[in-house]
């Protein structure tokens, strides 16, 4: 595949993730959407790195994967605490709790 194909794939994945963030209904879907966006960036970095025959982009993508894994671990822990406290992970309930 060409570089353009990988960059188009990366843009489509990022757009899907962005739609998920904007249409979030619960916290779990918000986490999934951010993971899709991070993986879209990783695809783009790895493609450009391969095109330029340089490992810098691939190493940076590997660093992003490590950060994303720690984000998931911390985020899911917080999500469990949120569910135990409120009984729901629905973000619409958050607005009801403020008032």
């Amino acid at each position: 595949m060409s570089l353009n194909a990988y960059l188009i794939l990366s843009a489509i994945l990022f757009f899907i993730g962005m739609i998920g963030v904007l249409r979030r209904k619960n916290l779990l879907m918000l986490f999934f959407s951010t993971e899709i966006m991070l993986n879209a960036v990783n695809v783009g970095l790895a493609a450009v790195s391969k095109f330029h025959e340089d490992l810098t982009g691939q190493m940076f993508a590997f660093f992003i994967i490590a950060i994303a894994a720690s984000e998931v671990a911390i985020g899911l822990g917080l999500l469990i605490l949120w569910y135990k406290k409120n009984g729901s992970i629905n973000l619409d309930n958050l607005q009801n709790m403020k008032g």
Side-chain angles (χ1 to χ4, degrees), residues 7 14 24 30 43 62 75 78 84:
L7 292 179
F14 193 84
R24 65 186 189 269
L30 184 67
V43 169
F62 183 71
L78 291 172
K84 284 182 179 180

Side-chain angles (χ1 to χ4, degrees), residues 61-96:
F62 183 71
F63 180 72
I64 291 174
I65 291 170
I67 296 298
S70 63
E71 177 232 343
V72 166
I74 292 170
L76 287 178
L78 291 172
L79 185 69
I80 290 170
L81 289 175
W82 177 271
Y83 183 77
K84 284 182 179 180
K85 181 179 178 185
N86 298 318
S88 174
I89 57 173
N90 193 355
L91 290 177
D92 292 334
N93 294 342
L94 179 64
Q95 293 180 358
N96 295 337

Side-chain angles (χ1 to χ4, degrees), residues 9 11 16 19 31 54 62 80 97 99:
L9 172 66
I16 290 170
I19 289 173
F31 285 138
D54 184 23
F62 183 71
I80 290 170
M97 292 171 57

Side-chain angles (χ1 to χ4, degrees), residues 8-74:
I8 289 170
L9 172 66
S10 177
I12 290 170
L13 284 173
F14 193 84
F15 184 69
I16 290 170
M18 183 63 71
I19 289 173
V21 167
L22 293 176
R23 295 193 65 225
R24 65 186 189 269
K25 292 294 182 189
N26 61 35
L27 289 173
L28 192 59
M29 290 299 131
L30 184 67
F31 285 138
F32 286 155
S33 298
T34 56
E35 288 297 317
I36 290 172
M37 291 171 61
L38 286 172
N39 284 327
V41 172
N42 286 340
V43 169
L45 284 172
V48 171
S49 177
K50 176 70 174 167
F51 179 74
H52 289 294
E53 297 178 359
D54 184 23
L55 290 178
T56 306
Q58 293 174 11
M59 291 186 327
F60 194 62
F62 183 71
F63 180 72
I64 291 174
I65 291 170
I67 296 298
S70 63
E71 177 232 343
V72 166
I74 292 170

